[in-house]
Amino acid sequence: MNVMQLKASDFESDQEVRWCPGCGDYAILKVVKTVLADIGHSPDDVVFVAGIGCAARFPYYLSTYGFHTIHGRSAAVATGVKLANPDLDVWVVGGDGDFLSIGGNHTLHALRRNVDLNLLLFNNAIYGLTKGQYSPTSPVGTRSPSTPGGSVEQPVNAVSFALGAGAKFVARGADTLQTHLPTVLKRAHDYKGASFVEILQNCIVYHDGAFGAINDRSESQNVTVRLEHGQPMLFGKENDKGLVFNEQTGTFDVDELTNLKSEDDVAIHDETNIDRAFALAQMEQPGHPVPLGVLYAEPAAEFVDARGFTGTKGAWDRDALKALL
Amino acid sequence: MAELSVASGAADTVRKPPLVVRFAGDSGDGIQLAGLEFAKSTADAKSDFMTFPDYPAEIRAPAGTLFGVSAYQIQFDSDEVLTPGDEADVLVAFNPAALKTNLHTLKPGGVLIVDETHFDARGLKKAKVEANPLEDGSLDGYQLITAGVVKRTIEALAPLELGRKQATRAKNFWVLGLVYWLFGRPLDTTEDWLKTKFRKTPEVANANILALKAGHAYAETVELSAVRDFAEPRIAKHKNKSRIISGTQAMAYGIAAVSALGKRDIVYCSYPITPASILLHALARFEAGIRTFQAEDEIAAVSAALGASYAGSLGITASSGPGLSLKTEAIGLGVSVELPLIIIDVQRGGPSTGMPTKPEQSDLSMAIHGRHGEAPLPVLAPATPDECFWIMLEAARTAIGAMTPVIVLSDAYLANAASDWELPDIDAIPDIDWPEYKPNGAEFQPFARDPNTLARPWVAPGTPGHAHRIGGIEKSSGTGHISYDPDNHEEMTRLRAEKIDRLTARWPEVKIEDGPEDGDLLVIGWGSTYGAIAQAVKELNADGKRVTHVHLRHLNPLPRGLSELLDRFLQAVTVELNTGQLCSILRSEFLKPVECISQVNGQPFHVSKLRDEFTKRLEAPGA
């Protein structure tokens, strides 16, 4: 595909955006348009496939090709698109219901199959379009129309799930972190294979503030750690705290820099280390900063596209058919 | 044997009746292999034939048990053969369980070849048989040949110094040798095949060839001469090259033909399910033309196929009943976004898991009506194994021409039944036109329609200047933008239905297969019942009766002329392997009295049953 000089506005569709005012999806849409312009593929070579839910309306608001499918099946449809035409740049957008509830199976298989798709999970930990029921990522105790006494189920950790499914690229961003999110999405796009990005997204109507200070620009630094490959995992407004890897438990401990003998005790982020990625994926608030950025990117992983499947030597012709019979 | 003796002793002008041979044994006994070799030998003898494997759902059930019995039946004749036959002239039973479950298929006086090796206390107990049928006189009405198959196979292979177990494996070829002798068949076809098949393990080829010859020699040595009166009919059926083909293989070639004649790749997505998976196996062997994808489930399979169609390829998926249930939502999406898609349903006994290896025609209602909302789509059904080739071309032309999902209803019988197929003249088949969208200067409208077919344009991602969005939300006629406008929804609903109805103009008018243009009894069949109906009607009409047979390949919409045809007969009756689904559809469509001859026992119709049913109706209209 040719790389072109494009502007974010080149990716704007003529459709009126119908999300609730203040929805985190607006922020994500803005970032995606910027990233697409930066990548520079013509909108004619880009496909957005979505399932059902608020997030899944995404394709209507872009000037690319788009397919708004059925609940949970977007990854499977996108796999078919890629099988038919591996040259397309294919993105899959869905919410926590789409990707982790009804479509959990397809997410799992798209990831372990490692088809070259960019999967964006807009996680707002609630069912928005159906008016506020708890979702598979809602924390225990979430009060909703279907759980008036508070939900009792353990939520699924999206990035742990993705790593467990065998994903080769797992990252996390947040809707309002408008300088951080583009770098994550660009990395996801550039990765050859199935790249999984969880985007923490605020639902202003049914689950406002679900992620606390994480996507509050002024507070975010205190409750998140920005992962950069080869860099020490420091966080806090003054970069005064760090993650120390506990060899005994295989998990990360949080410590003030002032308590450490040396800054060298702070763990260096290695995005190619799957064990460390699992340890990072387990870190949650409170107690740990939430890791944002690329948790894991397996270098040079074998990815699958149509060329890996049988029958890829082109269509038959009459002579080939006669020979076959 | 009376019937056969008369024929063989009579003058040449008396036609010999068709013959039916049935092999039955454990699913590990090599029954299907022996049967297939017999079919190849039949093709070499220039007889027409039809075969039907009747196998259990269990892969390797415990040896000797009733539920582990596998059978293979073949009917052959000098005349056209339309079914695998109602009853066997020759039955081979490898153990007590096979005898118990298959004896009812043998004609009175028929030849019964039994391997008595397993008719000991243990074998009888496994088959839940009290008295030994070989000793209690219960088989007196048959020509019993107790051949000691295992013992003689081991004896024959003694020079090879194989273990007892390995030698025993050749017993199916020992029996095949014996059966070949009965029909005066040469052994060379099977010998050649064994040499090719086991060229890397010549010791296995030798063992089987030795067993084949030993069985043949045994039959010659002992007194089987009375049985040998079977004379091989010899005709040249086909002008061109032919081959043995099952419905599944024909379907695979049909899909390859769609790729060749459309000059496009096909993306075939499916999830393993009996009895549809064998189509995936057949297609996965092709090196070009068809990308096969084994999805994680039925829903993913149809979704990926639809995604492939969206991206400009033709997506095909196949399954059986339970899988079709799972696919329905995605098929509905296909109807809504108006993309081509082919869904093959190899029907089996239902509901739920039902009888996975047995044929039934009970998914017709689901195929036509089984989606939420108003979601009409074309439904096609091949009638014979070789029509499975042609139906794929028809399905592809329909799907692409009308931009719609198409359901093709096959069944467990068609998928597995095999017959001799005259290879089609590929040059005589027209191309499949892949529509190329030509911009006309005006703004692109993904839901503007062709005035004749009402099909919308198919513009795949990657097409410059035409990026657009589609989805399952109702679309504005023309622009395709999201629309909740009441009048628009009404218009779109009626347009989608009209588009399917207009297909009848492209399809052939209903055609009479056999029988007069008007009269007493119109028999309406669809799908795999073709052979049994055609044979029964042929026999009755030869007998001076007036029965007319039509066979529907297009089940939705129904073909032109059917309503008028119904008016020309005193009685109309459908023949179905369900409780009357087509019958209900015809009644509601035409408001005319239609009856149904129904069977849901997991078996194809017997010709004799249909002959009796038709006769009964001719004699007492409305009975």
Side-chain angles (χ1 to χ4, degrees):
Chain A
M1 269 176 285
N2 298 326
V3 175
M4 306 157 72
Q5 281 291 330
L6 294 163
K7 302 184 295 297
S9 59
D10 292 327
F11 288 89
E12 210 152 275
S13 82
D14 56 356
Q15 296 299 294
E16 199 181 331
V17 183
R18 300 186 187 198
W19 290 311
C20 308
C23 176
D25 290 350
Y26 284 97
I28 303 172
L29 178 63
K30 185 167 168 240
V31 168
V32 167
K33 284 192 278 201
T34 310
V35 168
L36 289 174
D38 186 28
I39 291 166
H41 293 159
S42 157
D44 296 328
D45 295 326
V46 180
V47 183
F48 273 76
V49 182
I52 294 293
C54 297
R57 295 290 182 95
F58 209 81
Y60 291 116
Y61 308 138
L62 290 169
S63 65
T64 66
Y65 281 89
F67 195 176
H68 182 218
T69 67
I70 45 177
H71 202 15
R73 321 303 172 197
S74 51
V77 173
T79 299
V81 171
K82 204 71 184 168
L83 278 174
N85 186 353
D87 294 330
L88 295 168
D89 183 15
V90 183
W91 299 70
V92 187
V93 174
D96 29 318
D98 228 8
F99 272 30
L100 293 174
S101 197
I102 187 169
N105 190 36
H106 307 302
T107 307
L108 182 152
H109 291 282
L111 293 175
R112 61 111 187 148
R113 203 174 271 135
N114 206 23
V115 178
D116 190 15
L117 303 170
N118 310 306
L119 297 113
L120 311 184
L121 162 63
F122 296 9
N123 184 6
N124 57 13
I126 207 77
Y127 283 124
L129 200 60
T130 51
K131 300 192 169 49
Q133 301 83 355
Y134 78 112
S135 92
T137 55
S138 299
V140 174
T142 300
R143 288 180 188 277
S144 80
S146 56
T147 50
S151 67
V152 295
E153 296 169 23
Q154 185 70 27
V156 61
N157 174 324
V159 286
S160 290
F161 170 83
L163 289 168
K168 312 293 185 200
F169 181 97
V170 177
R172 184 190 273 141
D175 52 8
T176 47
L177 303 180
Q178 296 273 305
T179 48
H180 181 259
L181 186 57
T183 60
V184 174
L185 295 186
K186 183 77 171 32
R187 283 285 313 275
H189 168 270
D190 293 346
Y191 190 81
K192 278 289 182 194
S195 29
F196 179 84
V197 183
E198 179 191 21
I199 304 173
L200 306 177
Q201 175 247 322
N202 195 49
C203 173
I204 196 165
V205 175
Y206 294 110
H207 211 185
D208 195 20
F211 301 106
I214 295 170
N215 37 13
D216 177 335
R217 265 166 293 181
S218 59
E219 284 301 312
S220 183
Q221 301 281 5
N222 286 329
V223 293
T224 67
V225 54
R226 308 295 167 87
L227 304 173
E228 285 196 48
H229 184 58
Q231 296 298 316
M233 288 186 276
L234 296 166
F235 69 103
K237 268 197 179 148
E238 311 296 330
N239 262 355
D240 52 350
K241 286 174 274 195
L243 297 179
V244 179
F245 191 67
N246 184 328
E247 296 287 349
Q248 277 188 326
T249 60
T251 58
F252 287 100
D253 296 333
V254 174
D255 222 330
E256 307 273 339
L257 283 191
T258 50
N259 293 340
L260 296 172
K261 273 182 274 174
S262 144
E263 257 191 52
D264 294 346
D265 288 342
V266 176
I268 306 292
H269 178 48
D270 177 3
E271 67 182 25
T272 68
N273 185 325
I274 184 73
D275 296 326
R276 295 291 172 94
F278 271 109
L280 287 169
Q282 290 299 313
M283 300 199 321
E284 288 175 354
Q285 282 271 299
H288 283 91
V290 170
L292 298 180
V294 179
L295 281 77
Y296 182 61
E298 186 178 315
E302 285 281 319
F303 75 98
V304 173
D305 74 6
R307 287 167 279 251
F309 288 83
T310 63
T312 50
K313 290 183 187 161
W316 302 94
D317 57 23
R318 281 176 193 269
D319 289 336
L321 182 62
K322 284 181 210 165
L324 181 73
L325 295 178
Chain B
M1 195 56 52
E3 196 183 338
L4 285 168
S5 308
V6 169
S8 57
D12 282 344
T13 50
V14 178
R15 209 183 69 74
K16 294 182 175 66
L19 295 170
V20 177
V21 179
R22 186 173 175 95
F23 299 87
D26 265 331
S27 39
D29 279 342
I31 300 299
Q32 303 301 328
L33 192 59
L36 185 61
E37 281 307 301
F38 190 83
K40 285 198 266 181
S41 146
T42 308
D44 282 356
K46 307 272 187 241
S47 290
D48 197 18
F49 64 91
M50 177 79 87
T51 72
F52 181 57
D54 190 2
Y55 61 92
E58 289 72 18
I59 301 302
R60 284 287 158 86
T65 56
L66 294 166
F67 53 88
V69 174
S70 168
Y72 185 99
Q73 185 163 316
I74 175 169
Q75 172 163 245
F76 55 99
D77 193 9
S78 56
D79 198 359
E80 186 179 27
V81 173
L82 296 165
T83 75
D86 292 359
E87 294 178 300
D89 298 284
V90 177
L91 171 67
V92 179
F94 276 96
N95 62 32
L99 180 66
K100 185 177 174 180
T101 51
N102 284 273
L103 188 61
H104 70 280
T105 65
L106 184 61
K107 279 180 190 164
V111 177
L112 176 60
I113 301 164
V114 174
D115 177 15
E116 67 269 42
T117 311
H118 298 294
F119 283 73
D120 52 11
R122 193 159 157 262
L124 295 171
K125 193 176 167 211
K126 274 200 263 186
K128 298 189 167 63
V129 177
E130 299 282 324
N132 187 345
L134 300 180
E135 293 163 358
D136 69 358
S138 60
L139 304 176
D140 286 352
Y142 305 99
Q143 300 188 44
L144 179 65
I145 301 169
T146 46
V149 179
V150 169
K151 185 169 135 258
R152 294 206 162 82
T153 305
I154 291 168
E155 278 170 16
L157 300 191
L160 299 182
E161 295 184 346
L162 303 168
R164 186 185 157 83
K165 199 174 164 194
Q166 207 185 336
T168 306
R169 282 201 195 127
K171 70 178 178 181
N172 55 337
F173 283 94
W174 194 94
V175 167
L176 189 60
L178 185 149
V179 176
Y180 278 172
W181 191 86
L182 288 181
F183 298 102
R185 296 264 175 89
L187 305 181
D188 48 355
T189 309
T190 297
E191 272 187 64
D192 291 348
W193 177 80
L194 281 167
K195 281 179 196 156
T196 314
K197 170 84 181 168
F198 297 108
R199 61 183 176 281
K200 286 183 186 146
T201 46
E203 65 280 8
V204 177
N206 287 340
N208 285 319
I209 290 170
L210 205 54
L212 182 75
K213 287 181 170 168
H216 195 260
Y218 172 82
E220 193 163 10
T221 312
V222 302
E223 292 178 4
L224 296 185
S225 54
V227 184
R228 207 178 179 286
D229 278 349
F230 290 113
E232 189 70 66
R234 284 179 186 277
I235 56 156
K237 187 190 173 195
H238 301 308
K239 284 196 303 249
N240 298 330
K241 217 172 113 190
S242 72
R243 65 186 307 164
I244 300 176
I245 197 154
S246 68
T248 299
Q249 196 61 45
M251 211 166 243
Y253 289 140
I255 294 170
V258 172
S259 169
L261 303 172
K263 301 180 196 72
R264 290 285 185 109
D265 284 354
I266 305 299
V267 177
Y268 180 87
C269 311
S270 85
Y271 181 73
I273 184 169
T274 302
S277 343
I278 46 177
L279 182 57
L280 172 62
H281 307 171
L283 293 170
R285 295 170 67 94
F286 293 159
E287 288 182 346
I290 298 145
R291 275 168 211 178
T292 55
F293 170 60
Q294 181 177 313
E296 60 269 27
D297 59 33
E298 297 284 0
I299 298 170
V302 66
S303 299
L306 189 63
S309 285
Y310 169 63
S313 189
L314 177 62
I316 302 181
T317 186
S319 190
S320 297
L324 187 62
S325 292
L326 286 165
K327 291 178 196 294
T328 51
E329 188 192 8
I331 298 171
L333 175 66
V335 170
S336 172
V337 295
E338 302 187 48
L339 281 170
L341 173 70
I342 299 176
I343 307 102
I344 300 159
D345 175 19
V346 186
Q347 299 167 96
R348 64 187 215 188
S352 189
T353 306
M355 303 214 286
T357 61
K358 308 298 180 193
E360 206 163 276
Q361 296 181 304
S362 44
D363 296 347
L364 177 64
S365 296
M366 175 167 69
I368 296 178
H369 303 296
R371 287 162 298 284
H372 70 272
E374 295 279 346
L377 55 70
V379 178
L380 309 177
T384 60
D386 69 273
E387 272 188 26
C388 290
F389 174 86
W390 299 103
I391 208 79
M392 293 317 299
L393 297 174
E394 178 84 329
R397 290 184 206 281
T398 303
I400 294 168
M403 291 292 282
T404 178
V406 175
I407 292 180
V408 175
L409 291 176
S410 168
D411 65 37
Y413 170 81
L414 274 182
N416 291 300
S419 64
D420 202 19
W421 183 47
E422 183 172 11
L423 297 185
D425 178 2
I426 299 299
D427 291 325
I429 310 173
D431 276 343
I432 291 176
D433 295 325
W434 225 273
E436 297 279 348
Y437 176 72
K438 292 180 194 69
N440 57 8
E443 194 188 347
F444 173 62
Q445 295 214 325
F447 284 82
R449 291 172 194 280
D450 179 286
N452 294 319
T453 63
L454 298 182
R456 76 175 189 91
W458 187 12
V459 177
T463 309
H466 287 74
H468 63 280
R469 277 63 57 194
I470 61 170
I473 301 181
E474 186 60 282
K475 294 148 287 287
S476 187
S477 185
T479 65
H481 294 151
I482 291 177
S483 169
Y484 299 124
D485 177 71
D487 292 340
N488 176 73
H489 178 57
E490 178 108 26
E491 181 192 347
M492 287 293 274
T493 301
R494 295 191 189 284
L495 278 168
R496 286 187 288 259
E498 171 72 13
K499 181 178 78 168
I500 303 306
D501 286 343
R502 285 194 189 186
L503 285 166
T504 55
R506 302 159 49 132
W507 289 346
E509 204 169 331
V510 70
K511 172 180 144 256
I512 290 175
E513 305 283 338
D514 191 5
E517 299 263 326
D518 51 32
D520 303 333
L521 181 61
L522 177 66
V523 176
I524 305 162
W526 67 278
S528 71
T529 54
Y530 175 85
I533 300 173
Q535 184 65 34
V537 169
K538 188 163 87 172
E539 290 174 15
L540 288 176
N541 287 345
D543 214 21
K545 304 282 197 313
R546 285 168 58 84
V547 186
T548 298
H549 175 202
V550 297
H551 213 79
L552 305 182
R553 276 78 172 178
H554 304 94
L555 293 152
N556 192 56
L558 290 163
R560 283 173 289 126
L562 185 55
S563 177
E564 296 76 3
L565 191 69
L566 284 165
D567 292 336
R568 300 206 297 268
F569 288 83
L570 286 175
Q571 300 179 74
V573 61
T574 63
V575 174
E576 303 182 69
L577 295 174
N578 58 45
T579 57
Q581 298 187 8
L582 177 63
C583 180
S584 297
I585 289 162
L586 295 179
R587 286 177 183 175
S588 69
E589 186 78 9
F590 300 123
L591 296 176
K592 284 169 191 170
V594 181
E595 299 294 318
C596 178
I597 297 169
S598 152
Q599 176 178 302
V600 272
N601 62 359
Q603 295 293 321
F605 276 108
H606 280 175
V607 175
S608 57
K609 171 173 175 165
L610 294 181
R611 215 170 39 216
D612 293 348
E613 289 281 351
F614 299 158
T615 306
K616 197 171 80 188
R617 281 172 168 77
L618 286 168
E619 286 167 357

